[in-house]
Amino acid sequence: MAKRRKPVSFDTTLRNPSRIPQFISVLSQFEGKILDDKVALELEGEIIRQKIFEPTKNTLGKYVKNYNIKFHFVADDQSTNAVQKVDSYYKEWAKNGPGEVDIEQIIYLLKNTITAHKDKGWKGGWESRIHTQFNFLNELGFVRVIKNKKILILPTGKLMITEYKNGYPKSESYDESFEQSAFLNSFSKYQINNPFRRNTIKVNFFPLVLNVIKYLDKKYKRPGIFRQDLPFILTWGDNDYKKLAEYIHSFRDKFGYNTSDELVYEYAMNLMDDSSTHKQIIPASPSFIASKKKDIKFSQIMNETPDEVIRKLRLTMLISLRGAGRFIDINKNEQEKVDYVVQTYSLNMDFFDDHDKYFEFMGSIDKKLLFSKTVTETQEAKDAKEQSIEEWANNNDWDFLRDEIINSVEKRPSTHLILKYVKETARLEFLSAIVIKKALPNLKVTANYKADDQGIPFNTASGGKNNQIGADIDVFEEKIHALLEPTISKARSFQVEHELPSIRNHIIATATQDIENDSGFNEWFGLFIASNLSRDVGDQVSVIQQINKVEIFPWDILDFVNFSQNVSSIRDYKVIRDYVSPQIMPSIQ
């Protein structure tokens, strides 16, 4: 396929960034193997076995004897009991946890079911899923997953999965800084003209964005790039950030900020027309738009790709959201890294379709782009988080907070201009802190998640590492030091075996530290906030109180939000709700 001029776009297959290290972690089990048909099926089988990717019953659980539409397929098992066997194996996989069923059962399912998907150079069906799942990770320089070549995990990919095994974090208190370091390394170097893109433009995307922001701030005191201006960056054809910034400024100077998406689309499309002059702020001709609108869709330029750009660039932790999410700006907490990226990676390279050269460049680790696990959070950063929690508590009503907490727990996307770019786990911690601050405005609420200079979280609290206690949220009221510990997990085993022992340890460590520091606190307890709480949680809480003298009070998430609307003290939460009352033996009359 010949190269041609196209707007910037990003693969959306792995929209949730937490899935990227999961896929690479499973892939690491196959490193060094030649990716032939057999290995491809085994790899996809292991991804499904570990439930990193969960196909529906209509695909993985439906026997297909023959198929000849998008590709030719014949089921491996042609016997009369194949339908029943597929159904049985699928049900067993569906009801069990990650990695609990035998891999041979999953391979059997893959050989006797289909997904109607075919990528060039790959067999149709499940094998093509490998290309879909890993091609963008090739492009980011994390892995090399190419048909009939040896599978490689590149240094940045290995960095990303430092805390992972078999597709999941090794512990509940894992350190996400490795992932952020890998993302920053990748996007800092990322160029649109790479061997995996058939695009003629030569753009270093992230440095271009940072340079435009810096230029607009220095010359015009603008708070970053207006979200609706991102289409101009997507359709720009080179690294000349000064001309691009002046174009954006001139457009807004001419039209202001209350412009329609349709108007922006017309002007952005003109930047794609090589026959037009880009010195003037003019819309694309109707004939050019008519000829390109099916290929360069309105929804793609105005909504889908801008959303994906913000989501991807937030992974670097160098981007903040301002103006209620309408502007993307530089995270001033990481100004040193921002300056280094634009100084080091703004020069475009030509790889001449040399995949090995590209992998060598993208896969190497730039140590200056690593986030340290031992850096102490500045007081300014702590203040920004506290201020953000207070502002959100004052500016949002209970219905909004309840709905967004439900979205987080159910792992549903938010439509809010800021929350939509915060992954569910960190979003739940943020919202929980806001709820308790709204309930009790005089509380001091200290959240321990990593956040930008606006106090908007990037990721969750890192757990008890690097001489930190590891609590999610600290809450202070007079002589009370309470811990707020929300979790998105609904699994009984995780709540009972992982979360509650961790909370117990956090409370003991907090009290010990407060006493040693003569902090003046004399009462400590924890609020465990989760969904799908079982009686086992109540039983374990009772055991912990009896053995360790540690008080933990479990709260269903929705009950927590509703109850919070009528409290006068943090002590009001010190109750055991009926749904977690400890089980007791029946009495004999």
Side-chain angles (χ1 to χ4, degrees):
M1 186 185 296
K3 290 185 178 182
R4 62 186 178 87
R5 171 74 188 279
K6 293 180 285 187
V8 173
S9 63
F10 286 105
D11 190 286
T12 60
T13 305
L14 299 182
R15 186 182 296 274
N16 185 341
S18 63
R19 299 182 71 201
I20 292 177
Q22 290 189 290
F23 275 88
I24 299 174
S25 175
V26 172
L27 180 71
S28 66
Q29 301 172 36
F30 296 82
E31 186 174 17
K33 292 186 177 183
I34 302 295
L35 187 57
D36 55 20
D37 293 343
K38 180 176 180 293
V39 171
L41 212 59
E42 290 172 351
L43 172 56
E44 187 62 18
E46 186 62 20
I47 289 169
I48 293 171
R49 189 174 86 94
Q50 296 294 347
K51 296 200 167 183
I52 309 304
F53 167 49
E54 299 187 55
T56 64
K57 180 173 175 56
N58 197 43
T59 52
L60 189 63
K62 182 179 179 181
Y63 174 73
V64 178
K65 192 170 187 177
N66 297 284
Y67 176 83
N68 290 292
I69 301 176
K70 294 183 178 180
F71 52 88
H72 179 63
F73 170 82
V74 178
D76 184 66
D77 186 351
Q78 294 285 313
S79 67
T80 55
N81 68 340
V83 172
Q84 183 180 356
K85 195 171 180 180
V86 164
D87 182 67
S88 174
Y89 281 0
Y90 175 83
K91 287 179 178 176
E92 186 176 350
W93 167 81
K95 74 178 182 181
N96 279 287
E100 291 182 0
V101 301
D102 193 277
I103 184 63
E104 293 304 320
Q105 293 185 4
I106 304 299
I107 297 298
Y108 175 87
L109 290 174
L110 299 185
K111 288 182 176 180
N112 293 284
T113 64
I114 66 163
T115 174
H117 184 70
K118 174 72 171 74
D119 283 326
K120 185 178 180 181
W122 297 73
K123 287 182 67 174
W126 295 110
E127 182 179 301
S128 281
R129 282 288 170 194
I130 293 295
H131 179 256
T132 302
Q133 290 159 347
F134 285 99
N135 196 48
F136 188 53
L137 305 190
N138 283 335
E139 196 176 348
L140 294 179
F142 295 141
V143 301
R144 186 183 76 175
V145 179
I146 298 176
K147 187 69 182 289
N148 296 322
K149 287 196 174 185
K150 188 180 291 186
I151 294 171
L152 295 178
I153 313 295
L154 301 173
T156 49
K158 290 182 178 180
L159 174 67
M160 173 161 282
I161 61 172
T162 302
E163 297 264 289
Y164 281 76
K165 184 178 181 180
N166 295 328
Y168 293 92
K170 296 174 184 176
S171 72
E172 72 275 8
S173 58
Y174 76 106
D175 189 344
E176 293 184 79
S177 67
F178 296 107
E179 294 171 45
Q180 265 72 40
S181 295
F183 281 127
L184 179 56
N185 265 267
S186 178
F187 283 111
S188 296
K189 301 174 186 178
Y190 180 77
Q191 297 182 181
I192 303 303
N193 54 311
N194 69 67
F196 293 93
R197 294 271 168 177
R198 313 306 297 176
N199 201 337
T200 59
I201 64 172
K202 295 184 177 182
V203 170
N204 298 46
F205 187 74
F206 191 30
L208 177 63
V209 171
L210 294 176
N211 275 315
V212 168
I213 292 173
K214 286 167 66 76
Y215 183 91
L216 288 172
D217 178 46
K218 184 177 181 180
K219 187 170 181 179
Y220 297 110
K221 306 300 180 185
R222 275 189 38 155
I225 296 172
F226 189 45
R227 187 193 179 283
Q228 203 188 41
D229 289 336
L230 284 172
F232 299 130
I233 299 179
L234 301 179
T235 53
W236 195 256
D238 56 38
N239 280 330
D240 193 337
Y241 67 88
K242 292 182 181 179
K243 285 186 179 179
L244 173 55
E246 289 292 351
Y247 184 95
I248 290 171
H249 173 74
S250 297
F251 179 86
R252 291 301 165 191
D253 195 45
K254 182 176 182 178
F255 294 108
Y257 286 95
N258 294 319
T259 52
S260 69
D261 284 353
E262 287 76 13
L263 181 71
V264 173
Y265 178 72
E266 291 175 0
Y267 280 77
M269 285 292 282
N270 187 56
L271 298 177
M272 295 292 299
D273 187 354
D274 292 331
S275 67
S276 177
T277 176
H278 300 158
K279 294 181 180 179
Q280 294 177 293
I281 311 298
I282 57 175
S285 65
S287 60
F288 181 80
I289 291 177
S291 68
K292 295 290 184 180
K293 66 180 181 180
K294 289 185 178 180
D295 186 38
I296 308 173
K297 296 182 175 63
F298 176 86
S299 60
Q300 173 194 357
I301 293 295
M302 297 308 306
N303 297 307
E304 295 163 13
T305 305
D307 264 2
E308 205 57 35
V309 163
I310 298 172
R311 189 172 285 108
K312 293 288 193 290
L313 296 190
R314 284 279 294 177
L315 298 176
T316 68
M317 297 209 299
L318 301 195
I319 292 295
S320 287
L321 300 173
R322 304 196 196 283
R326 297 187 309 134
F327 288 84
I328 65 169
D329 199 0
I330 287 168
N331 174 19
K332 292 178 173 55
N333 292 342
E334 302 293 348
Q335 187 68 54
E336 186 176 332
K337 283 186 171 62
V338 170
D339 294 340
Y340 178 78
V341 169
V342 298
Q343 290 164 10
T344 309
Y345 294 108
S346 293
L347 186 64
N348 194 265
M349 297 175 63
D350 199 331
F351 297 98
F352 301 104
D353 292 333
D354 186 334
H355 287 83
D356 291 337
K357 182 181 178 182
Y358 182 72
F359 284 133
E360 182 180 357
F361 172 68
M362 289 293 293
S364 63
I365 295 174
D366 187 332
K367 293 182 179 179
K368 291 187 177 180
L369 297 179
L370 299 179
F371 292 101
S372 173
K373 305 186 294 294
T374 59
V375 172
T376 302
E377 190 173 41
T378 65
Q379 188 59 49
E380 185 178 20
K382 292 178 182 178
D383 292 344
K385 288 192 290 187
E386 191 170 345
Q387 182 179 347
S388 177
I389 291 168
E390 184 171 1
E391 287 177 354
W392 279 66
N394 291 335
N395 297 335
N396 294 286
D397 61 28
W398 289 108
D399 288 341
F400 170 82
L401 295 175
R402 185 187 302 107
D403 290 345
E404 288 297 343
I405 273 184
I406 293 172
N407 287 338
S408 301
V409 172
E410 299 301 330
K411 299 182 180 180
R412 295 199 296 251
S414 172
T415 58
H416 188 274
L417 279 178
I418 290 177
L419 295 179
K420 68 191 296 184
Y421 303 117
V422 180
K423 68 179 183 178
E424 297 92 344
T425 48
R427 197 193 315 161
L428 181 60
E429 288 186 14
F430 184 47
L431 290 166
S432 298
I434 294 165
V435 165
I436 205 157
K437 184 68 175 180
K438 187 173 185 66
L440 299 165
N442 292 327
L443 285 182
K444 179 177 176 60
V445 180
T446 302
N448 298 311
Y449 44 71
K450 181 74 173 178
D452 62 22
D453 58 8
Q454 299 295 290
I456 305 301
F458 286 118
N459 52 47
T460 58
S462 60
K465 292 187 176 183
N466 309 319
N467 298 317
Q468 296 178 345
I469 289 173
D472 291 341
I473 301 161
D474 292 273
V475 181
F476 306 93
E477 181 183 82
E478 297 176 347
K479 292 188 176 184
I480 300 171
H481 185 171
L483 304 183
L484 196 62
E485 303 271 7
T487 181
I488 204 167
S489 174
K490 297 182 179 181
R492 184 207 66 81
S493 60
F494 187 84
Q495 292 178 3
V496 174
E497 298 168 19
H498 295 278
E499 287 288 355
L500 289 177
S502 293
I503 297 170
R504 174 199 62 201
N505 295 342
H506 293 165
I507 295 170
I508 292 173
T510 297
T512 302
Q513 187 179 84
D514 285 345
I515 292 169
E516 289 176 352
N517 295 338
D518 195 23
S519 301
F521 299 108
N522 59 18
E523 186 176 347
W524 300 268
F525 59 88
L527 304 182
F528 175 44
I529 303 170
S531 185
N532 200 37
L533 289 166
S534 72
R535 292 281 179 180
D536 291 344
V537 170
D539 292 345
Q540 185 63 21
V541 162
S542 181
V543 171
I544 288 172
Q545 183 169 3
Q546 290 178 37
I547 295 176
N548 306 111
K549 311 303 180 187
V550 171
E551 293 184 304
I552 301 174
F553 301 94
W555 283 86
D556 172 82
I557 285 177
L558 289 184
D559 188 22
F560 171 70
V561 176
N562 293 332
F563 188 86
S564 294
Q565 298 176 48
N566 295 288
V567 294
S568 58
S569 167
I570 189 69
R571 283 197 182 95
D572 292 346
Y573 294 96
K574 295 181 66 174
V575 292
I576 297 296
R577 307 297 274 176
D578 288 343
Y579 47 80
V580 284
S581 294
Q583 303 173 83
I584 58 174
M585 285 288 288
S587 60
I588 299 175
Q589 299 295 329

